[in-house]
Amino acid sequence: MASRRDFIRISGLGLGGVVLGSNAAYQAFSQTFLNNDRLDLGSLRRTPTYCEVCFWKCAGWVYKNDQGQIQKIIGNDDDLHCNGRLCPRGTGGVGMYYDTDRLKKPLLRVGERGQQTFKEVSWDEALQYIADKMQAIAKEHGPECVALFNHGSGGAYFSRLLKAFGSPNITAPSYAQCRGPREVAFLATFGEGVESPERTDIRDTRCLVLIGSHIGENMHNGQVQEMSDAIDKGASIITVDPRFSTAASKSKFWLPIKPATDLALLLAWIHVIIEEGWYDKAYVEKYTYGFEQLREHVKTMTPEWAHGITTIEPAVIRETAREMANASPAVIIHPGRHVTWYGDDSQRLRAVAILNAILGSWGRRGGFYRPAEKKLPSYPFPPYPKPTRTWQDAYPGLFPLAGLALASGICDATIPAHGRSCSFKAWIVLGTNLIETLPNQANTIQAIQNLDLLVAIDTMPMEITGWADVVLPECTYLERYDSIRENPHRKGQLALRMPAMEPQYDSKPAYWMARELAIKLNLAAWFPFEKMEDELDWQLKQVGLSLAEMQKEGIKTFEREYDDLYFAPDEEIEFPTNTGKIELYSTEFENAGFDPIPKYTPHPEPPEGYYRLNYGRGPAHTFSRTANNPNLTDLMDENMLWVNPRVAREWGLSNEQPVWLRNQDGATSRFPIKVRITERIRWDSVYMVHGFGHEDKRLTRCFGKGASDSKLITRVHVDPVMGGTGMRGNFVTFLTSEPKAEEVQR
Amino acid sequence: MREELIISGRNNYLIDPVLHIWHWQIPLYLFLGGLAAGVLFFAALFKILGKENEYPSAVKIAPMIVPFLLILGLFALFLDLKHKLYFWRLYTTIKLQSPMSWGAWTLMAVTPLSFIWAALHVKEVFPKWKWPHKMFDDLESILKKYILEIAWFILVFSVILGVYTGILFSAFNARPLWNTSILGPLFLASGLSTGAAAIMLLSKSETERKRFAKIDLMLIAVELFLIVHMFMGFLASTQVQIDAASLFLGGEYTAPFWIFVVGFGLVIPAILEILELRKYHIPVYISGSLVLFGGIMLRFIIANAGQASRWLY
Amino acid sequence: MRYAMAVDTKKCVGCSDCVVACQTENNVPIGFCRDWVVEVTDGTYPQLEIEIRSERCNHCNNSPCVRCCPTGASHYSDGGIVLVNSEKCIGCGACIASCPYDARYSHPDGYVDKCTFCIHRVKKGQDPACVAVCPTKCMYFGDLDDPKSPVSVVLKKRKYKTLIPEAGTQPELYFLI
């Protein structure tokens, strides 16, 4: 990022610079990987795909030029996820294919774990090594001691492999490190989760409330599009964020809340809406359970009470509550996506759900719609063997409402502990860079050191592949078939991903890897089709479609059978909760021993000289996985540390000055991050975009660029309800000179 | 606080973070062009005034170097072109509004004229000179008849060339520092001054040297007047031009400009020349070299600072 | 015919998709760009406002780049679109120096390159790649002489500004404010 105002100041090219010609630099710049022929769109060939750069999975078309190279990827007009418009990452997905730093050959570790010494081996040797290890572990410890961490389409085949092998321990960090609490809270309240893409009817809303959710900086494509539509239609946006996010700048109300106090604000809003009688009385009466308990519970939680906690003026709390009520039921208090913040996240999201419920937005136009989905039948595989143990056995009585396996839970259960019968012995990690994804890196590495086998499957060398025993190079989504996309939306849709190019180097699709491994493990019965496309064709034929048809159209849309996108007036609804009602008072939470109605509890505050570490998303990147993509590094190649000018003055920091960070536990960043002095951040916090500060030298474009927030997240507040890892309780201070190597623990 | 950022990672080579499309080639080209214009101007002028014997260095000796200066300048320009093989496109069109086009065509006229002038005087400077073919001798004797007419052409084109070196910059509205019509006369004066200095350096005659010291002194006075005038104009203008001027008035070009251009390039040689005229014996090559140095610095600094000067929006 | 573009600073989130889409559509080499995004923040916490602008060549009616080009490589094409003919461009850089928006860059192959309003798409009735891809639909393109074109319609109902009108370039890139 370059400041224009600084242009004059930093010119500094003096006379020396003038005299020194820079032909060499010019030559360096002229090395481009895209050819330079003029375009002729007529001759471009297109193949359908759905995007894998993030998990919104927009469907699109891959266009090739005359030389048969990928020219561009554009959205599929019929796709409800993207409406023909991909986000920058989807458009820049080309760079995933062209990245020359990709993993190219199967690798087998030869030196010590984590030393990154590998030898290239054949696929057969790599897979045989894995199969032998897995069998040995199954024999000695049981197949349940093999776990799969996945985040990506290829996970489906390895899940199948693992279930056939006898392990139920399949996890994705997208649950306990991201959206788990909101699913638990909404399930407890409405009996249904929020899903992905979120069932928020932002397009038609009249009031959108964002709490710590920065739509626009997180490029969840459909939501960004719908928020823009809502702005066009004059919807008011209320943003609650200690940082002046992009969304805040588009908002009618920005509530610059003191960090970690959101629950107090939510309860005060509920208080105002109930006390003023602004709630949807008919809806509450007909559909909800526990309203009186709720009214009683929030009686004392006045805006004045919340003001003392949140620093938000009582008048503003009332005014914004009025704004929501005026829009009701076309109002969305957005559940957010990455919501694992302070350890009471399920409760905070319960408050969000309750607020939506009393405003009658669930199941209403402009609130939350009822998603539809079209599912393809699965091939009749033989039944999976019954596992005798699950990851949850490691946590007797804990996290009773965890609906999915916890990535952090499996990680922790890998470290042998007193009294635990079994620890995990093998990890298969597909498409997720656990080192940067899980909090507390030292803990993750300790777990890894206890493994007998770590297999990393990825397209790029990542920190996790550096720790692996076996590295399997997956081809990118542009070079493979994958399962048909079946995500729920306003209408059911099926979308096809097919290869636009042959896999580069010696990379392979995950389906092929899983099947070859299955054959070596005598589990071939679960992979009867040699080629993915034959399985897809079989599945599609069951619903009267075919692969050939999908290859031509990319997407199939299925109209809803009934006009039930929203609740009909006075519709009788049996909600899938214990009471059959929307539970303002959660019997499920009560039965599990948790507060049935959320209570505000204060969270630790940063000590003198420390600042709360906030992190978030930049629109050009997905987690840490895109940091080396040539097209996307071109947009953003490092993160910067947002610092309030007051703080900068106090510390004598200047713009673009490199600093290192240290948290309250002494965890220190390895690489410097440049300071961005900006009014957009509160004086008690700093902010950075997640996903930078890569430590793997094989990532030539992003190695050492910016800082890793994950490295500074060691203080984790675990949600007792479902095991989410609250990561916003870390406080950092500035180091203006480089810390010694030994201070930067790995 | 106002914060203005390019958030899409723009970093176009030679453009960002600060414009640097023109390196040493263009200022060198402009300096050599100005110097050539200055020498030719005085050669033509004193020829027309009929004082070629009084000022042999101006009329005959100094012009010998002009073809080389121009060729060198054109070569520098050629080096600056980034799409070199297409340079001939300059001569497939005449674009009156484009100073580059203007300059290309002016050089197209001046360069052959400078060759002719040098050729017509080569035998006087190098008595042993022999043309390789009789044809040249014939041509020489024909052209000799029109030498006054040629001198008039050279006089006019040298002024155009001298002004052009400044106009090239001043035509750019996008660069507030350059966007002043003073640059034309300033660069002309500077070109004439460097021309006079070159003649001084090459002259063996005391009278000629004194004469050109006086001329140079006058030109230096004109330059100083134009520089003051330029800054007055900037400071009385819009914010962008005030910002442009501030590059030299406290900004980062302050020291190089006031020390190298005004100090070493104008004031000190002026003092030395005054002393010389007052009969102090000061080696002529000191003031002459300083003037040339000042001339080259002026082009480099204006070229460089101009690219740092921009509109803010 | 007078092609123009309007960018809604109230909807743009600065995702820079326009930049990537332009690069892949037009073979703009990595490390260079024909369009870019500027974010301006004003105020003091918590009284703040942000303007986000997707910028590119302004396709000025009074283009300094066309004026100063010595070979005629920079020229006005259909509907006032300012183009560079790479076969005529000598790479002298005069147009780059003349543009107050710094909208041009020196292509590694030598010639000067810039936004073309995706004239190859426009001729087929498509929007420029940046407009077509924008997730917020914050960009409007069309013919100002056609009162029904999206850009004419939006400029009629919204307040707008152009960049440095005082430079006298008469830009055709409008920013809705």
Side-chain angles (χ1 to χ4, degrees):
Chain A
M1 273 195 264
S3 165
R4 292 195 167 209
R5 295 272 158 193
D6 285 345
F7 273 179
I8 290 175
R9 206 159 45 70
I10 62 179
S11 65
L13 284 159
L15 292 162
V18 186
V19 178
L20 294 170
S22 42
N23 273 321
Y26 193 79
Q27 289 303 321
F29 269 82
S30 65
Q31 302 216 345
T32 58
F33 69 79
L34 281 177
N35 62 62
N36 190 41
D37 293 298
R38 297 286 99 200
L39 273 184
D40 180 11
L41 283 173
S43 61
L44 291 170
R45 240 169 43 77
R46 67 179 198 178
T47 46
T49 190
Y50 61 88
C51 188
E52 180 92 352
V53 187
C54 89
F55 300 97
W56 202 258
K57 300 184 190 166
C58 299
W61 298 105
V62 183
Y63 282 81
K64 290 200 272 187
N65 63 14
D66 286 341
Q67 287 74 45
Q69 293 291 308
I70 298 177
Q71 172 80 45
K72 60 174 181 179
I73 310 171
I74 61 171
N76 186 321
D77 288 337
D78 298 331
D79 180 28
L80 292 171
H81 294 224
C82 80
N83 307 299
R85 293 160 185 265
L86 297 180
C87 82
R89 298 161 303 160
T91 311
V94 200
M96 258 174 100
Y97 172 78
Y98 285 106
D99 196 331
T100 47
D101 292 342
R102 276 172 61 171
L103 290 171
K104 299 179 173 108
K105 296 273 287 175
L107 302 174
L108 207 57
R109 178 166 67 82
V110 287
E112 244 176 72
R113 198 178 257 147
Q115 295 288 317
Q116 304 216 19
T117 39
F118 296 99
K119 63 171 180 188
E120 292 187 353
V121 293
S122 69
W123 275 100
D124 190 60
E125 194 179 334
L127 294 171
Q128 193 60 53
Y129 180 88
I130 298 167
D132 292 347
K133 281 270 184 181
M134 281 173 75
Q135 269 160 341
I137 290 164
K139 212 163 143 199
E140 196 180 335
H141 308 283
E144 299 90 344
C145 288
V146 179
L148 169 67
F149 296 79
N150 78 92
H151 204 183
S153 306
Y157 326 119
F158 276 90
S159 294
R160 194 196 294 173
L161 175 76
L162 226 66
K163 285 186 214 156
F165 185 67
S167 172
N169 297 313
I170 295 159
T171 185
S174 51
Y175 189 74
Q177 279 66 52
C178 196
R179 62 190 174 87
R182 95 173 179 202
E183 297 303 307
V184 168
F186 275 65
L187 278 163
T189 313
F190 301 105
E192 284 176 47
V194 183
E195 313 264 2
S196 173
E198 282 82 358
R199 58 208 287 175
T200 44
D201 200 14
I202 300 176
R203 186 181 69 184
D204 288 325
T205 198
R206 288 172 52 214
C207 178
L208 174 64
V209 184
L210 301 174
I211 303 174
S213 167
H214 44 283
I215 296 179
E217 284 160 285
N218 77 37
M219 279 308 287
H220 294 138
N221 195 345
Q223 290 195 25
V224 177
Q225 296 192 14
E226 293 198 17
M227 184 170 90
S228 187
D229 292 343
I231 292 172
D232 253 352
K233 292 183 192 166
S236 50
I237 302 175
I238 299 169
T239 299
V240 180
D241 202 318
R243 183 176 67 95
F244 191 58
S245 61
T246 304
S249 76
K250 316 275 180 207
S251 301
K252 182 169 174 187
F253 297 93
W254 170 45
L255 279 51
I257 194 166
K258 180 172 166 181
T261 65
D262 312 77
L263 187 47
L265 174 68
L266 286 160
L267 292 168
W269 270 339
I270 296 171
H271 167 94
V272 173
I273 286 165
I274 292 178
E275 290 303 312
E276 300 288 340
W278 294 337
Y279 59 96
D280 188 332
K281 296 182 187 75
Y283 185 97
V284 165
E285 177 140 343
K286 192 169 173 58
Y287 295 132
T288 68
Y289 168 81
F291 182 71
E292 281 313 313
Q293 290 100 309
L294 177 67
R295 180 199 285 272
E296 199 51 43
H297 178 79
V298 298
K299 198 135 224 153
T300 56
M301 298 171 184
T302 60
E304 286 70 21
W305 163 79
H307 175 226
I309 297 166
T310 61
T311 72
I312 307 294
E313 292 295 327
V316 174
I317 297 178
R318 288 203 170 80
E319 202 182 348
T320 44
R322 178 78 257 186
E323 188 82 16
M324 292 178 223
N326 284 345
S328 158
V331 54
I332 299 166
I333 294 86
H334 198 286
R337 196 161 168 119
H338 173 78
V339 290
T340 46
W341 300 348
Y342 310 116
D344 61 350
D345 307 300
S346 301
Q347 292 291 8
R348 185 182 71 254
L349 272 300
R350 273 271 300 147
V352 169
I354 291 168
L355 192 52
N356 277 303
I358 62 173
L359 290 166
S361 71
W362 187 261
R364 312 285 278 277
R365 178 185 292 278
F368 293 78
Y369 62 76
R370 277 175 169 165
E373 64 184 345
K374 180 78 179 175
K375 286 274 187 204
L376 291 177
S378 167
Y379 187 83
F381 301 118
Y384 296 119
K386 282 250 174 308
T388 53
R389 293 172 300 188
T390 82
W391 68 273
Q392 222 153 355
D393 299 341
Y395 303 96
L398 294 179
F399 321 131
L401 298 185
L404 294 171
L406 308 177
S408 40
I410 290 182
C411 176
D412 292 347
T414 303
I415 302 168
H418 185 69
R420 192 186 298 149
S421 63
C422 119
S423 304
F424 286 95
K425 292 292 168 197
W427 291 2
I428 299 173
V429 183
L430 185 143
T432 174
N433 187 13
L434 289 185
I435 306 288
E436 292 293 316
T437 305
L438 296 176
N440 206 343
Q441 289 186 357
N443 187 63
T444 309
I445 288 161
Q446 196 193 340
I448 288 172
Q449 296 291 26
N450 278 292
L451 289 170
D452 290 349
L453 174 67
L454 172 53
V455 182
I457 303 160
D458 215 314
T459 62
M460 296 297 299
M462 288 278 168
E463 282 74 8
I464 187 68
T465 65
W467 287 96
D469 304 323
V470 190
V471 180
L472 302 179
E474 192 187 14
C475 58
T476 67
Y477 71 107
L478 298 167
E479 303 158 288
R480 65 183 198 231
Y481 280 100
D482 264 315
S483 311
I484 299 287
R485 188 196 79 188
E486 305 164 310
N487 290 53
H489 213 284
R490 291 190 177 92
K491 292 173 190 167
Q493 277 194 324
L494 299 176
L496 173 72
R497 171 186 293 160
M498 68 176 284
M501 305 292 287
E502 284 298 307
Q504 282 207 86
Y505 315 113
D506 200 6
S507 63
K508 297 280 186 191
Y511 180 85
W512 181 89
M513 296 180 216
R515 185 170 185 274
E516 292 295 313
L517 205 49
I519 292 168
K520 289 190 189 298
L521 291 165
N522 298 317
L523 304 170
W526 282 274
F527 292 88
F529 297 98
E530 191 191 334
K531 287 189 167 141
M532 181 79 208
E533 49 265 50
D534 297 332
E535 187 174 321
L536 294 180
D537 196 40
W538 183 92
Q539 285 186 290
L540 288 162
K541 291 233 163 85
Q542 307 310 304
V543 295
L545 295 167
S546 72
L547 184 62
E549 200 177 337
M550 290 298 287
Q551 286 174 337
K552 219 172 329 152
E553 298 179 27
I555 276 204
K556 275 281 173 191
T557 307
F558 298 85
E559 293 301 324
R560 300 176 78 98
E561 284 174 48
Y562 308 101
D563 181 17
D564 60 352
L565 187 60
Y566 311 114
F567 297 170
D570 296 323
E571 185 180 338
E572 292 298 331
I573 298 159
E574 172 87 14
F575 292 88
T577 56
N578 292 339
T579 56
K581 301 256 184 196
I582 297 172
E583 294 198 352
L584 306 178
Y585 181 96
S586 171
T587 55
E588 194 181 6
F589 271 47
E590 188 176 40
N591 294 343
F594 301 110
D595 295 333
I597 302 174
K599 277 190 196 132
Y600 171 75
T601 42
H603 298 294
E605 288 181 31
E608 181 73 31
Y610 281 79
Y611 304 88
R612 187 178 295 272
L613 174 64
N614 270 331
Y615 53 84
R617 299 281 293 273
H621 288 284
T622 302
F623 324 135
S624 64
R625 58 174 14 222
T626 54
N628 204 59
N629 178 317
N631 294 71
L632 301 180
T633 43
D634 205 27
L635 299 181
M636 180 182 186
D637 63 352
E638 62 184 332
N639 55 359
M640 292 183 97
L641 185 74
W642 295 30
V643 178
N644 185 280
R646 268 166 59 177
V647 177
R649 259 199 308 280
E650 217 171 286
W651 284 81
L653 301 177
S654 54
N655 243 334
E656 310 223 355
Q657 175 182 348
V659 293
W660 291 257
L661 299 173
R662 176 168 292 160
N663 80 353
Q664 73 264 49
D665 293 334
T668 308
S669 52
R670 175 166 167 202
F671 302 111
I673 181 169
K674 287 181 191 155
V675 168
R676 170 182 174 187
I677 300 174
T678 178
E679 292 284 358
R680 292 176 61 184
I681 182 82
R682 254 177 88 103
W683 51 88
D684 54 3
S685 318
V686 291
Y687 171 80
M688 68 170 86
V689 170
H690 167 76
F692 290 87
H694 274 278
E695 299 196 358
D696 195 312
K697 285 199 173 113
R698 293 171 297 172
L699 296 164
T700 54
R701 252 170 249 100
C702 67
F703 170 77
K705 293 266 182 76
S708 158
D709 53 317
S710 307
K711 211 174 172 65
L712 299 162
I713 297 175
T714 55
R715 197 65 71 92
V716 180
H717 300 278
V718 178
D719 190 333
V721 179
M722 48 65 69
T725 51
M727 302 194 267
R728 298 253 166 112
N730 290 273
F731 311 126
V732 294
T733 191
F734 309 103
L735 305 178
T736 47
S737 57
E738 184 164 4
K740 292 192 200 82
E742 61 268 23
E743 294 177 308
V744 186
Q745 345 130 333
R746 292 216 55 149
Chain B
M1 185 175 120
R2 186 186 181 90
E3 190 187 20
E4 208 168 339
L5 296 169
I6 293 179
I7 55 170
S8 60
R10 185 180 116 146
N11 196 18
N12 284 339
Y13 179 61
L14 302 180
I15 319 291
D16 299 315
V18 73
L19 185 71
H20 214 70
I21 189 72
W22 285 339
H23 289 247
W24 56 271
Q25 298 93 335
I26 291 290
L28 180 68
Y29 156 70
L30 295 180
F31 167 72
L32 294 171
L35 177 57
V39 172
L40 287 178
F41 176 83
F42 289 117
L45 180 71
F46 286 108
K47 178 80 190 179
I48 290 164
L49 293 177
K51 301 202 172 161
E52 53 191 296
N53 295 325
E54 248 172 284
Y55 304 117
S57 178
V59 179
K60 297 168 191 166
I61 301 169
M64 291 297 139
I65 61 168
V66 170
F68 298 101
L69 295 177
L70 288 174
I71 296 286
L72 197 62
L74 282 168
F75 185 65
L77 176 66
F78 180 72
L79 285 183
D80 176 68
L81 299 184
K82 313 235 166 14
H83 215 206
K84 293 189 171 48
L85 296 179
Y86 293 80
F87 78 95
W88 53 273
R89 286 287 192 181
L90 277 171
Y91 296 106
T92 57
T93 176
I94 295 179
K95 300 255 294 172
L96 283 179
Q97 283 189 310
S98 162
M100 270 277 179
S101 175
W102 228 55
W105 285 105
T106 305
L107 281 165
M108 194 60 154
V110 171
T111 312
L113 284 173
S114 78
F115 271 95
I116 290 169
W117 191 265
L120 293 181
H121 296 93
V122 70
K123 283 183 180 164
E124 293 174 58
V125 180
F126 304 104
K128 288 184 191 155
W129 183 271
K130 284 257 184 323
W131 292 110
H133 196 277
K134 190 177 163 298
M135 193 180 77
F136 291 102
D137 293 285
D138 296 345
L139 205 59
E140 186 184 351
S141 52
I142 297 169
L143 287 172
K144 269 251 157 84
K145 290 183 201 150
Y146 300 102
I147 192 152
L148 269 182
E149 284 82 352
I150 292 171
W152 275 106
F153 268 111
I154 287 183
L155 192 73
V156 172
F157 275 108
S158 67
V159 172
I160 295 175
L161 179 61
V163 172
Y164 152 72
T165 60
I167 300 275
L168 177 65
F169 284 151
S170 68
F172 293 132
N173 150 311
R175 312 293 148 200
L177 178 72
W178 291 344
N179 193 209
T180 163
S181 48
I182 303 276
L183 275 193
L186 177 62
F187 276 33
L188 174 64
S190 167
L192 293 175
S193 165
T194 51
I199 292 166
M200 258 177 359
L201 286 175
L202 291 171
S203 174
K204 294 189 185 73
S205 126
E206 174 84 19
T207 17
E208 189 176 25
R209 282 212 300 267
K210 288 251 159 87
R211 179 78 198 167
F212 276 90
K214 274 185 198 158
I215 291 174
D216 200 34
L217 209 49
M218 190 187 75
L219 288 166
I220 287 174
V222 170
E223 278 183 74
L224 286 169
F225 167 75
L226 288 174
I227 285 170
V228 171
H229 202 67
M230 180 171 80
F231 283 111
M232 282 169 64
F234 281 144
L235 293 175
S237 186
T238 57
Q239 186 62 46
V240 285
Q241 293 202 306
I242 295 170
D243 289 347
S246 67
L247 287 170
F248 293 93
L249 304 172
E252 72 166 36
Y253 289 90
T254 310
F257 182 76
W258 294 103
I259 294 173
F260 293 126
V261 177
V262 177
F264 286 105
L266 298 173
V267 175
I268 293 176
I271 292 168
L272 294 178
E273 279 162 7
I274 290 168
L275 292 175
E276 168 105 18
L277 294 172
R278 294 259 171 100
K279 315 282 185 220
Y280 291 94
H281 184 71
I282 291 161
V284 69
Y285 60 83
I286 297 183
S287 56
S289 306
L290 283 174
V291 168
L292 289 175
F293 171 75
I296 204 163
M297 288 308 271
L298 175 68
R299 266 76 171 185
F300 271 85
I301 288 174
I302 295 285
N304 203 8
Q307 296 183 78
S309 135
R310 57 167 296 137
W311 291 80
L312 289 170
Y313 56 87
Chain C
M1 218 169 27
R2 193 154 69 95
Y3 286 121
M5 192 185 284
V7 180
D8 191 343
T9 63
K10 297 286 179 213
K11 287 203 293 180
C12 177
V13 294
C15 74
S16 311
D17 202 0
C18 41
V19 178
V20 201
C22 170
Q23 287 171 325
T24 57
E25 176 73 33
N26 297 300
N27 279 325
V28 178
I30 296 287
F32 295 86
C33 58
R34 290 179 177 183
D35 53 351
W36 61 95
V37 183
V38 175
E39 177 189 281
V40 187
T41 309
D42 272 307
T44 307
Y45 192 98
Q47 261 73 50
L48 291 165
E49 48 183 67
I50 295 179
E51 178 178 291
I52 306 180
R53 302 188 300 256
S54 168
E55 296 183 10
R56 60 191 49 58
C57 170
N58 284 255
H59 295 278
C60 309
N61 286 313
N62 181 23
S63 300
C65 54
V66 174
R67 209 182 320 129
C68 73
C69 176
T71 65
S74 285
H75 63 283
Y76 299 105
S77 182
D78 303 348
I81 296 179
V82 176
L83 295 182
V84 182
N85 179 345
S86 63
E87 300 284 299
K88 280 193 185 175
C89 176
I90 60 171
C92 70
C95 56
I96 292 176
S98 80
C99 177
Y101 310 102
D102 283 346
R104 294 168 162 247
Y105 73 95
S106 181
H107 193 284
D109 285 349
Y111 56 87
V112 171
D113 195 31
K114 63 180 279 296
C115 162
T116 62
F117 265 171
C118 283
I119 192 163
H120 63 286
R121 291 173 59 98
V122 172
K123 278 184 177 162
K124 287 189 213 153
Q126 298 171 321
D127 275 332
C130 54
V131 177
V133 81
C134 177
T136 65
K137 283 164 261 168
C138 78
M139 283 184 256
Y140 303 83
F141 180 81
D143 176 6
L144 281 184
D145 289 340
D146 170 9
K148 290 201 185 80
S149 73
V151 69
S152 303
V153 170
V154 79
L155 288 180
K156 224 168 286 165
K157 67 177 188 213
R158 290 280 298 275
K159 272 210 277 189
Y160 60 83
K161 67 172 186 184
T162 54
L163 299 178
I164 4 177
E166 61 273 30
T169 53
Q170 299 169 29
E172 290 292 9
L173 179 58
Y174 299 86
F175 293 93
L176 307 174
I177 47 176

